[in-house]
Amino acid sequence: MGWRDEKGRASRFKGPVRLRRDQVPSTTTDQRLLDSRGPHDWVHTDPWRVLRIQAEFVEGFGQLAELGSAVAVFGSARTKPDEPAFAQAEEVGRKLVEAGFAVVTGGGPGAMEAANRGASQAGGISVGLGIELPFESGLNDWVDVGINFRYFFVRKTMFVKYSQGYIVLPGGVGTLDELFEALTLAQTRKVTQFPIVLLGTAYWRGLLDWMRDTQLAEGKISQADLDMMVLTDDVDEAVALMVAAREQEEDPAR
């Protein structure tokens, strides 16, 4: 398993370490932690895993503590350069930098690469928070500050802790995971002043319609939960919402 580099060699990041050829393992660190099948000798190594997890938190906190105002941009790794969402993600990255934000993505290809490219070319801070995956391709070339994580939950903490809001472009399972985690944290007041913008009305409308017509209609969520998300096609509106949230945080009397 793993991916192949430009020379066709098997290659994978394992946390910050790159492995090639026969050094590429067949499983990931997260999988070995969470998968209960097979031998149970892993039980005796959990105390040591705690130290590795701690090290990932320390590395992330140390690298990102001075980041300043930042917005996370999510979207599909499968977005192609000729798709409108790719150009839109690049515009998002550029305009966030022009508004004084650093741009944080998952560091992968597709929409993430586009946002990193827009941020980097605009002269801003372009951050990529990668994750060890069997099929990963490593951090894209437009990431200026990159960290590779072994554990999803450590990586997710970095996104929430160091971003003041999320802009979410069309994406798949991973994008939905980040979106709904942010919604859960905002709903439970674990994070405050945290705007969430869904960029792409044609793509996201069906999801919001289902949440309103099914979840809200059956009392499973409240209108306030839906109101935490703003749906738009306008990049300027998305960036303006992030700026407004930053100003509100800096001056609560506004």
Side-chain angles (χ1 to χ4, degrees), residues 50 71 148 156 159-160 174 181-182 217-218:
V50 170
V71 172
N148 271 293
K156 288 180 177 181
F159 275 122
V160 174
E181 179 176 49
E218 295 186 8

Side-chain angles (χ1 to χ4, degrees), residues 62-238:
Q63 186 63 52
L64 301 175
E66 304 300 324
L67 184 60
S69 299
V71 172
V73 180
F74 295 103
S76 176
R78 302 179 185 185
T79 301
K80 301 295 190 295
D82 59 352
E83 293 181 34
F86 192 95
Q88 192 174 48
E90 191 171 342
E91 182 184 3
V92 168
R94 182 180 73 255
K95 289 188 172 179
L96 283 171
V97 166
E98 291 171 353
F101 292 102
V103 173
V104 184
T105 79
M112 294 174 283
E113 180 175 359
N116 285 132
R117 176 178 176 176
S120 182
Q121 289 187 333
I125 302 175
S126 174
V127 180
L129 305 182
I131 185 68
E132 177 190 352
L133 294 173
F135 46 81
E136 61 154 336
S137 58
L139 296 174
N140 68 69
D141 291 339
W142 296 101
V143 169
D144 300 320
V145 178
I147 308 172
N148 271 293
F149 294 94
R150 292 180 172 92
Y151 299 102
F152 262 115
F153 56 87
V154 179
R155 179 181 183 242
K156 288 180 177 181
T157 299
M158 300 303 152
F159 275 122
V160 174
K161 180 171 176 60
Y162 293 106
S163 300
Q164 293 184 306
Y166 283 2
I167 295 178
V168 189
L169 288 101
V173 173
T175 303
L176 289 172
D177 179 46
E178 298 293 352
L179 168 61
F180 280 102
E181 179 176 49
L183 283 173
T184 300
L185 292 173
Q187 180 199 52
T188 56
R189 306 295 291 173
K190 297 296 185 181
V191 294
T192 57
Q193 299 296 334
F194 199 85
I196 301 169
V197 177
L198 301 179
L199 203 54
T201 56
Y203 190 86
W204 294 112
R205 175 66 69 188
L207 173 64
L208 295 184
D209 286 346
W210 174 78
M211 293 179 71
R212 183 189 65 248
D213 298 340
T214 302
Q215 289 185 302
L216 181 61
E218 295 186 8
K220 302 299 189 295
I221 62 173
S222 69
Q223 183 61 48
D225 297 331
L226 286 176
D227 292 342
M228 289 189 294
M229 295 177 287
V230 175
L231 178 63
T232 184
D233 288 314
D234 188 341
V235 172
D236 289 329
E237 180 183 1

